[in-house]
Amino acid sequence: MMRKKRRSCVDKTETTVTSTKAKKSRSTGRPPKEAVPEEINENVFTKFLREAGVTLRNNGTGNEIAVDQVVFQKRIQQQIRKNPKYPEIVQEFISGLESHIEEPERFRNCLLPCVPRLSDGDDSSVCSFQESLLRLLLGIEMLQTSIINTLLEKVPEFMLEDVSDGGLNIPRLIITQLKWLDRVVDSKELAAKLMELVSVAPVDVVRDIITSLPEILEDCQHNDIARELNSLLQTNTQLTVPILDSLSSLNLSASLLAEVRAAVMATLSAVQLEDLPVVVKFILHSVSAADSHEVVNNLRRKLQLEQCVLPPVSQASQSRTKSKSAAEDASRSGAGDSVTLTLDGIKSAVRFQKTISEAWMKAIESVEEAEDHKVIDLLVLFILHSTNANQSRRGSERLLKVKVRTGLIQEALLQKTFRDYSQVLRGYFSSILALAQGLLRSSDPCVVPFGGHMYRLSFTVFDPYCQQEVVGSLVTHVCSGVGGEVDMALELLCDLVTEKPSEMALYAVFVKGILDYMDNLTPQGAVRIIGSMAASRSKSKEAQKESLPEETLRQVNALLELVRSSSESSSEATALFYDELANLVMTSDLDPKVQGIISNSVIDDFQKDFVVDVSPEIKASFPLPTKLLYNLEDLEENGIAINLLPLLSNDLQTRAEQQGPTKKAQRRVSPLCLSPSFRLLRVCEKQESGSLENIDGLLGCPLVMTDMDLVEKVESLSKTERELLCHLLFYTINWFRELVNAFCGQKDTELKMRVMTRLQNITYLQTQLEKALAGTPGFVPPVANFDGDATDGAIIAPPAPANKTKKGNGATRKRKAPGRNSSDGSSQLEETTEVDETLLELPEKEKEKEKEVAHGVSLVSYRQFFRELDVEVLNVLQCGLLSCSLLDSELHTNVQEEVQLGPAELVFLLEDMLRKLEFSLTSAPVRRAPFLKGKSDKSVGFSHLQQRSSKDIAAFCVQLLPALCAHLENCHNHFQTLSSRNDGVVDGPATDVQEQHLMTSCYQLLLQVLNTTFSWSGFSLPGNRSLYRKGLGVLAERLKGRSELNMEQLVKWVPKKNFFLKVGCNMQNCLCQRSGPINNNLMFYNFITKAGNVGVARWSRKQLWVWRVSGSNPQSAIKLLKLPAVVHKYISLSSQNNNT
């Protein structure tokens, strides 16, 4: 290490300052012309000084010097050498010095700089700055050793004096005289004497001596003195800072430097907090490229910043008095300053030494357990990102993403870092903001919430300037137009408005800027952002709890009436108003008076517009004959019915009349508002009375419809009649879907049975609708979801021709399978359709059976025209499965009193559940919309689902796991029973083809639902591990009652005892009967291997068992089986979403 020539740290109040060499003066060195009165008794010492040009003073003024410093030293040296008593005269001179400085005042004068004195009338001058007398004498080599011994012997006399009142620190002045001498005659002896003094002197004096060693000793003594300082460091931690400061300035060998660094590292855990910056700086600045990784790794392991700062909660509990609180605040401030200085030392080393930067990256990357990560890891990542090197920026961002994705760096650690080190983090705010932006824009859903948490904490702990930057960045995310990025930023803004309304109110103008980019928002997003703007200007929560004044209530009532009257000419606008009002009532805590106004209005409107009394016959004439259908009540004289067909006929006629330009739009009652109006009605009823007892009659009341036999002869109807029939079926299905939404949570057995009946009505009407749509080409269904563009991205498939080739029949059969069309946007299922159409050929008998249940149109393309089912409807899956195999010869079952699902209803619910899971739990890569190209809204029909988080959906699925596993086992038992009745043949001559098809679809959908649930990437996050363990525990319980296993045991044990293998081989057999051996193998391999970490696929033709171990490549198994290339492609695409 190179020697650093620097000044010693001397108190600014002192006037003693040293120089490296006296400048040569232009003075001739002649004695003064005037005689100076004698104030000191002359001896050899005073005589030589006077003759050399220095006059001693003892009256409080400094010693005077009349010549240049070099001239003075030369004269003294000449006088001593020319003296007849030389060399004895030297000791006599030193004795005179010792006797002179025995008096403290004279000693002080000799330590302070001399005062220059000019002769009268002399044009020459002396340098304005002069050294002290003792410093000048130390420059004379023949006197140096003796004077040094004299000075060091004087140190104990003054080292116990108190200098807190502003007096001179005599020991420090003595040490200062020894610095930066041109030559030290006996450096070794001087070092020994200084170290002896260190062993007995007080700490303050020792600090001065140690820090001055590099400026006193010659380079030849550096290694020896470093060893002694190293030994001293092990025994006295109070001297850590001065010792390290001194060692940093010494020129040491590489081996000795490594030894010293190791010793310093060993004492790191015992170092005082205020000494920590110096220790860390010494360690990092003494590292070579060869040992940088080892040193940094040890430093990271031993650096315990968690113990440096007390949490605020702990402080509050300890602070009892004002004085104590003030002391703790000062202590906390000092601790923050020490941590800041420590990080500055790390930042300096990282910035100027590339090897240090790479070593920190490797040290953090090598941590393999979440509990091993510490606060210093996050702080160093912020430091690395704040450096100007692009490599460090990219590396820190990449490493943070990897650590968050794998769950090693968790939100708890981030929260602790922000909570305890906000003062330190403020200096790295720009890096924190940049990292949060990168995480929020990531296509990986596992890291996006972590970026949002960084935004939230930054807004919470930093100053208003940082809060403004956070809000501005979130607004930029919202305006970007990228789906996942927009949703997360919008959620953060809304949460901040809810949690910090007063702070967010200051930045309402930023949020208002989003209104210029409303085209990039979904309708739900637009509603949320407008609500956030309103909330940011709202009053406090205490004010909100007060009852509304009469004037405000009148204004609210007037506003509701205004919106209602403005939208009554448009049925779509009215329906949207009803839906949004229902969401508001459901999610907000409205004033009871406002709630009453809405409830009374909706009840009156619903009864007046949609409900009629049951009459023996309807006299009015309509394009289709009227008939009361789907009645579950005992018809009485005062019975009611939903007046659907008359309303629909009148609405279509009114709509046609208003097409002309001269017609003025008038209010009309449209069946389009039937379902939205009922949703608002049941929400208000639930909020007011807590039950739906007052309106449960609507669940069983009939509808005024037409005879369903018309569907079979739809081709004989006119175009108007066919379209009227299709409208009627859509409205009826949507009405029943809203009834199921409303009453699915009822506990009464009779109401449960009616809900099950309505599900049966839905599945039956869907088959009728497919037939009606096949005979009505070009029909555009009525809108059912009004919070978006219902026709956006709509792809309505044309009806299939009646007579087709084998390929056409295969396609028709494929559309019949509900489970294979589970998601509009699923590339996996699209590929499935492609493979099935090109590979599968059914036997002739199979085709004949298929014709009995084949339909011309699939409702997959029409899903957006159906009302959304609430998530709570899926609770119906907890009912048992009722199939023909459970019935006796008289079609009776022993569990008739229980509410059970039929296969068609189970398929219907599983299809809806799978679509919901794929929307909520399956994350697609973030893709920006191409320029000037429209984008389809994939969220149509999921507006209620979007109000729930992915974690809520996953938790709901885990809650349903026992029911799903029970259904899977029931399907297995069904085929086992069927096989035993037909002597081992599943598709015997008496087999019900339609039921077998439905049960096969149940198999397929159940495996898809289970696979999608356990493939959710959110299970890898630490906060969801307990949920994941609960799900695995359900499977373990179904196997051998092993739910008590811990997380690690479950992850290892459940795959080996794969629950899906229990039913796998049976599924292979039943699928083979339906789809042929090739398709069977494809589906079975795909779903079995995706359902668990270890799966077994049994290939019926080759009898090969292929084990897929967790983490292995599916391609190896595919190649092992030597399947065709198209099958390779299919299985590869099917395996891409496997994250189990």
Side-chain angles (χ1 to χ4, degrees):
M1 181 178 291
M2 298 299 294
R3 181 179 180 182
K4 296 169 62 177
K5 297 294 184 179
R6 57 183 178 82
R7 298 287 182 183
S8 165
C9 296
V10 184
D11 290 347
K12 296 180 180 180
T13 58
E14 298 177 355
T15 59
T16 302
V17 183
T18 63
S19 66
T20 59
K21 191 173 183 180
K23 296 183 180 179
K24 190 172 182 179
S25 174
R26 292 175 293 180
S27 173
T28 59
R30 291 175 296 182
K33 295 180 180 180
E34 287 188 8
V36 180
E38 292 289 338
E39 298 182 4
I40 303 297
N41 295 328
E42 281 200 339
N43 52 27
V44 173
F45 171 71
T46 56
K47 178 182 178 182
F48 282 9
L49 291 183
R50 180 177 56 78
E51 292 177 355
V54 172
T55 303
L56 299 177
R57 301 292 189 186
N58 62 356
N59 56 356
T61 60
N63 298 322
E64 295 182 353
I65 183 171
V67 296
D68 188 79
Q69 297 175 135
V70 176
V71 175
F72 168 77
Q73 291 175 336
K74 186 177 295 186
R75 288 179 177 179
I76 293 292
Q77 190 171 5
Q78 290 176 353
Q79 288 175 349
I80 293 176
R81 286 185 181 276
K82 294 179 180 181
N83 193 287
K85 296 182 180 181
Y86 181 80
E88 290 80 5
I89 192 64
V90 173
Q91 184 59 40
E92 188 175 348
F93 182 86
I94 296 300
S95 299
L97 171 63
E98 291 176 351
S99 62
H100 177 75
I101 62 177
E102 284 181 359
E103 186 179 346
E105 184 65 23
R106 292 178 180 177
F107 185 44
R108 174 182 174 277
N109 282 349
C110 292
L111 292 173
L112 294 177
C114 295
V115 178
R117 178 172 60 86
L118 298 178
S119 302
D120 294 340
D122 192 359
D123 295 335
S124 62
S125 62
V126 185
C127 179
S128 60
F129 174 77
Q130 300 293 332
E131 298 280 7
S132 68
L133 175 60
L134 290 173
R135 174 82 178 176
L136 293 174
L137 295 177
L138 285 171
I140 304 174
E141 295 183 2
M142 64 180 63
L143 301 176
Q144 185 183 95
T145 303
S146 300
I147 295 177
I148 288 176
N149 293 335
T150 301
L151 289 177
L152 294 181
E153 290 174 359
K154 297 287 288 185
V155 171
E157 297 180 16
F158 299 94
M159 62 185 182
L160 298 179
E161 289 186 355
D162 185 14
V163 294
S164 58
D165 57 351
L168 289 178
N169 190 332
I170 301 299
R172 182 174 297 173
L173 287 175
I174 294 174
I175 300 301
T176 302
Q177 309 303 310
L178 304 178
K179 293 181 180 180
W180 304 113
L181 295 175
D182 292 340
R183 180 176 178 270
V184 178
V185 176
D186 194 349
S187 179
K188 186 175 181 179
E189 182 181 357
L190 175 59
K193 290 184 177 296
L194 289 174
M195 294 309 298
E196 289 179 4
L197 192 59
V198 165
S199 62
V200 297
V203 175
D204 293 339
V205 177
V206 172
R207 285 197 180 101
D208 293 333
I209 294 174
I210 292 176
T211 54
S212 302
L213 286 175
E215 300 159 355
I216 295 176
L217 302 178
E218 298 288 341
D219 289 354
C220 61
Q221 294 299 121
H222 283 189
N223 285 334
D224 295 336
I225 202 67
R227 290 188 178 91
E228 295 191 33
L229 292 177
N230 187 21
S231 301
L232 183 62
L233 181 64
Q234 312 305 315
T235 59
N236 193 343
T237 57
Q238 291 181 328
L239 302 176
T240 299
V241 172
I243 290 176
L244 294 182
D245 188 31
S246 179
L247 290 173
S248 300
S249 302
L250 296 177
N251 187 15
L252 307 180
S253 62
S255 59
L256 181 58
L257 184 62
E259 179 183 348
V260 172
R261 185 175 59 243
V264 173
M265 188 77 74
T267 63
L268 186 62
S269 57
V271 170
Q272 297 294 327
L273 180 58
E274 57 270 15
D275 300 340
L276 189 61
V278 179
V279 176
V280 172
K281 183 178 180 180
F282 172 78
I283 293 175
L284 292 179
H285 284 265
S286 62
V287 173
S288 62
D291 55 2
S292 59
H293 177 63
E294 180 182 358
V295 171
V296 169
N297 201 18
N298 291 335
L299 176 62
R300 178 202 161 275
R301 187 174 63 254
K302 295 186 177 182
L303 197 58
Q304 301 292 338
L305 290 185
E306 287 81 356
Q307 302 175 2
C308 296
V309 182
L310 285 174
V313 177
S314 176
Q315 279 191 340
S317 63
Q318 295 174 4
S319 301
R320 301 301 181 190
T321 61
K322 292 184 179 180
S323 59
K324 186 174 181 179
S325 177
E328 289 184 353
D329 290 343
S331 175
R332 178 177 173 83
S333 177
D337 293 340
S338 298
V339 175
T340 301
L341 292 175
T342 302
L343 296 181
D344 288 342
I346 297 176
K347 184 176 182 180
S348 176
V350 165
R351 174 173 295 179
F352 298 110
Q353 300 181 60
K354 184 179 179 181
T355 56
I356 301 296
S357 174
E358 295 174 349
W360 274 109
M361 297 280 286
K362 291 179 180 179
I364 298 174
E365 191 174 5
S366 63
V367 180
E368 298 179 352
E369 297 294 336
E371 54 270 15
D372 293 338
H373 271 295
K374 305 190 297 184
V375 170
I376 187 63
D377 296 335
L378 275 176
L379 295 176
V380 169
L381 286 177
F382 296 153
I383 290 173
L384 291 172
H385 192 276
S386 66
T387 59
N388 295 327
N390 291 330
Q391 185 177 1
S392 296
R393 286 176 175 268
R394 292 193 300 266
S396 60
E397 185 171 353
R398 177 195 61 80
L399 183 56
L400 181 60
K401 287 183 179 179
V402 171
K403 289 294 182 178
V404 173
R405 184 185 302 114
T406 55
L408 296 181
I409 291 183
Q410 305 174 4
E411 291 183 357
L413 180 63
L414 181 69
Q415 186 171 0
K416 181 179 182 181
T417 306
F418 272 83
R419 181 192 64 199
D420 295 343
Y421 304 96
S422 57
Q423 176 185 352
V424 177
L425 291 177
R426 177 60 182 85
Y428 302 97
F429 171 72
S430 59
S431 294
I432 294 173
L433 193 64
L435 286 171
Q437 290 172 350
L439 293 175
L440 205 66
R441 289 171 179 156
S442 174
S443 59
D444 190 346
C446 293
V447 304
V448 173
F450 194 86
H453 204 54
M454 291 178 67
Y455 272 122
R456 191 193 309 272
L457 291 173
S458 298
F459 186 89
T460 303
V461 304
F462 291 147
D463 52 73
Y465 169 78
C466 298
Q467 292 178 344
Q468 176 178 316
E469 292 297 315
V470 168
V471 174
S473 182
L474 290 176
V475 170
T476 303
H477 286 301
V478 173
C479 299
S480 65
V482 182
E485 183 180 345
V486 172
D487 294 340
M488 177 56 69
L490 204 55
E491 181 179 352
L492 285 172
L493 281 175
C494 295
D495 291 345
L496 289 177
V497 168
T498 304
E499 299 169 4
K500 307 285 184 180
S502 58
E503 291 88 342
M504 282 296 294
L506 302 174
Y507 313 109
V509 65
F510 290 90
V511 182
K512 183 180 178 182
I514 300 177
L515 299 179
D516 297 332
Y517 299 89
M518 296 294 284
D519 293 341
N520 293 336
L521 299 179
T522 62
Q524 294 87 355
V527 170
R528 292 189 68 181
I529 199 61
I530 293 175
S532 298
M533 293 176 60
S536 65
R537 300 182 62 87
S538 62
K539 298 181 179 180
S540 62
K541 294 182 178 180
E542 290 75 10
Q544 292 178 358
K545 293 181 180 179
E546 299 178 359
S547 179
L548 290 178
E550 291 298 329
E551 177 62 24
T552 304
L553 189 63
R554 186 190 63 79
Q555 293 177 0
V556 171
N557 192 13
L559 181 60
L560 290 174
E561 288 296 329
L562 176 62
V563 177
R564 178 182 176 185
S565 60
S566 300
S567 60
E568 63 182 7
S569 60
S570 170
S571 54
E572 289 82 0
T574 303
L576 175 61
F577 171 61
Y578 287 153
D579 274 343
E580 292 301 323
L581 199 56
N583 290 336
L584 180 65
V585 173
M586 185 181 299
T587 59
S588 303
D589 186 14
L590 297 181
D591 185 88
K593 295 181 180 179
V594 176
Q595 180 78 46
I597 293 174
I598 297 175
S599 300
N600 295 334
S601 175
V602 69
I603 291 175
D604 295 341
D605 289 346
F606 188 84
Q607 291 180 345
K608 178 178 64 176
D609 294 340
F610 304 110
V611 179
V612 294
D613 295 331
V614 174
S615 58
E617 59 181 10
I618 301 176
K619 299 181 180 180
S621 60
F622 303 101
L624 296 177
T626 58
K627 186 177 182 180
L628 284 178
L629 295 179
Y630 307 113
N631 177 44
L632 303 180
E633 300 279 359
D634 295 332
L635 286 179
E636 302 174 357
E637 294 183 358
N638 57 350
I640 60 172
I642 302 300
N643 193 28
L644 184 55
L645 179 58
L647 286 178
L648 176 59
S649 179
N650 294 335
D651 179 64
L652 293 177
Q653 182 179 359
T654 305
R655 189 186 298 269
E657 293 176 354
Q658 291 184 352
Q659 293 295 327
T662 58
K663 296 292 184 179
K664 182 179 180 181
Q666 298 178 356
R667 181 184 185 275
R668 65 177 186 273
V669 179
S670 171
L672 199 68
C673 302
L674 172 62
S675 296
S677 179
F678 172 72
R679 181 175 181 83
L680 177 59
L681 172 63
R682 63 103 169 173
V683 168
C684 292
E685 185 66 25
K686 184 72 173 179
Q687 291 289 96
E688 281 201 343
S689 60
S691 68
L692 302 179
E693 183 179 357
N694 295 333
I695 61 172
D696 59 5
L698 294 174
L699 178 60
C701 74
L703 290 87
V704 180
M705 294 184 61
T706 189
D707 194 346
M708 287 295 102
D709 294 338
L710 293 176
V711 177
E712 301 298 333
K713 49 184 178 180
V714 64
E715 296 180 356
S716 64
L717 302 177
S718 64
K719 179 181 178 181
T720 303
E721 292 172 339
R722 292 198 301 268
E723 292 185 349
L724 180 61
L725 179 61
C726 291
H727 274 98
L728 194 63
L729 290 172
F730 270 106
Y731 286 131
T732 304
I733 292 174
N734 285 329
W735 166 250
F736 286 153
R737 289 171 78 99
E738 279 300 334
L739 286 178
V740 172
N741 281 339
F743 296 97
C744 64
Q746 298 300 308
K747 304 301 181 182
D748 183 70
T749 303
E750 182 181 357
L751 292 179
K752 287 184 178 180
M753 293 296 296
R754 291 189 177 185
V755 170
M756 203 67 65
T757 303
R758 290 312 182 200
L759 285 174
Q760 296 172 0
N761 297 150
I762 292 174
T763 56
Y764 168 74
L765 287 173
Q766 286 186 162
T767 60
Q768 299 298 100
L769 180 59
E770 288 178 341
K771 298 177 183 179
L773 290 174
T776 314
F779 172 74
V780 179
V783 181
N785 300 284
F786 306 94
D787 53 355
D789 190 355
T791 61
D792 188 13
I795 303 176
I796 302 177
N803 298 323
K804 272 286 182 183
T805 61
K806 293 180 180 179
K807 182 176 180 180
N809 290 335
T812 302
R813 182 186 52 77
K814 177 61 188 173
R815 285 192 298 269
K816 173 64 182 71
R820 301 178 193 171
N821 299 299
S822 59
S823 175
D824 296 341
S826 175
S827 60
Q828 170 187 335
L829 298 181
E830 291 172 0
E831 191 67 26
T832 305
T833 305
E834 180 182 346
V835 173
D836 288 345
E837 291 181 350
T838 56
L839 294 181
L840 303 182
E841 294 184 4
L842 295 178
E844 292 299 326
K845 291 183 179 180
E846 200 69 29
K847 293 180 182 179
E848 292 175 1
K849 293 180 180 180
E850 185 69 22
K851 290 179 182 179
E852 298 176 3
V853 294
H855 305 305
V857 171
S858 171
L859 294 182
V860 174
S861 302
Y862 294 87
R863 284 175 182 152
Q864 58 189 330
F865 299 103
F866 294 113
R867 296 285 291 179
E868 179 183 1
L869 289 178
D870 293 338
V871 176
E872 290 76 14
V873 173
L874 299 179
N875 284 318
V876 180
L877 288 170
Q878 296 179 358
C879 300
L881 175 63
L882 179 64
S883 62
C884 291
S885 61
L886 300 178
L887 303 177
D888 55 23
S889 58
E890 299 180 359
L891 298 182
H892 294 300
T893 177
N894 296 329
V895 289
Q896 281 184 337
E897 67 277 3
E898 296 183 6
V899 181
Q900 292 189 321
L901 282 168
E905 291 73 47
L906 179 59
V907 169
F908 171 76
L909 292 175
L910 289 175
E911 284 181 333
D912 185 76
M913 183 177 186
L914 182 59
R915 286 194 295 271
K916 285 180 167 58
L917 295 184
E918 289 177 341
F919 181 84
S920 295
L921 304 185
T922 303
S923 58
V926 177
R927 296 186 179 92
R928 297 184 181 272
F931 183 63
L932 294 179
K933 182 177 180 181
K935 57 179 180 178
S936 59
D937 188 2
K938 299 297 183 181
S939 63
V940 173
F942 295 107
S943 59
H944 303 154
L945 187 66
Q946 285 180 298
Q947 298 176 9
R948 295 173 176 260
S949 65
S950 297
K951 183 178 180 180
D952 294 338
I953 300 301
F956 184 80
C957 292
V958 171
Q959 178 186 348
L960 290 180
L961 274 180
L964 297 175
C965 293
H967 284 302
L968 196 61
E969 294 169 353
N970 289 338
C971 291
H972 168 79
N973 296 335
H974 165 80
F975 285 106
Q976 290 288 347
T977 305
L978 198 61
S979 177
S980 62
R981 288 181 180 178
N982 293 281
D983 298 328
V985 180
V986 179
D987 57 342
T991 301
D992 187 341
V993 177
Q994 184 174 3
E995 185 186 31
Q996 184 184 7
H997 171 78
L998 290 173
M999 296 301 293
T1000 304
S1001 298
C1002 290
Y1003 243 137
Q1004 176 180 341
L1005 288 167
L1006 283 166
L1007 288 176
Q1008 283 181 293
V1009 166
L1010 292 170
N1011 168 60
T1012 306
T1013 300
F1014 283 103
S1015 297
W1016 180 46
S1017 58
F1019 281 132
S1020 63
L1021 298 179
N1024 301 329
R1025 288 300 178 90
S1026 60
L1027 185 62
Y1028 185 50
R1029 184 197 181 283
K1030 183 179 179 181
L1032 293 179
V1034 172
L1035 299 184
E1037 180 69 24
R1038 307 296 295 193
L1039 289 169
K1040 288 187 178 180
R1042 300 295 297 273
S1043 60
E1044 75 281 357
L1045 299 177
N1046 60 31
M1047 183 67 178
E1048 183 178 358
Q1049 292 171 332
L1050 284 172
V1051 171
K1052 294 181 179 179
W1053 187 78
V1054 171
K1056 294 180 181 179
K1057 305 289 185 180
N1058 200 333
F1059 169 78
F1060 306 105
L1061 299 184
K1062 180 179 177 181
V1063 297
C1065 296
N1066 184 69
M1067 179 185 179
Q1068 183 236 0
N1069 293 329
C1070 71
L1071 289 179
C1072 185
Q1073 306 298 332
R1074 185 66 185 159
S1075 305
I1078 295 180
N1079 188 39
N1080 166 43
N1081 293 338
L1082 291 175
M1083 285 192 299
F1084 184 68
Y1085 177 83
N1086 182 35
F1087 297 118
I1088 289 295
T1089 54
K1090 289 182 66 178
N1093 288 336
V1094 180
V1096 176
R1098 182 177 181 180
W1099 301 80
S1100 58
R1101 298 294 183 184
K1102 300 183 181 181
Q1103 297 296 316
L1104 292 176
W1105 293 86
V1106 179
W1107 288 85
R1108 180 174 180 271
V1109 185
S1110 178
S1112 66
N1113 187 359
Q1115 300 297 332
S1116 59
I1118 298 171
K1119 294 179 181 178
L1120 205 79
L1121 295 168
K1122 298 180 180 179
L1123 297 177
V1126 65
V1127 181
H1128 289 194
K1129 179 181 179 183
Y1130 169 68
I1131 299 181
S1132 301
L1133 292 174
S1134 300
S1135 302
Q1136 286 178 358
N1137 291 329
N1138 183 14
N1139 297 323
T1140 306

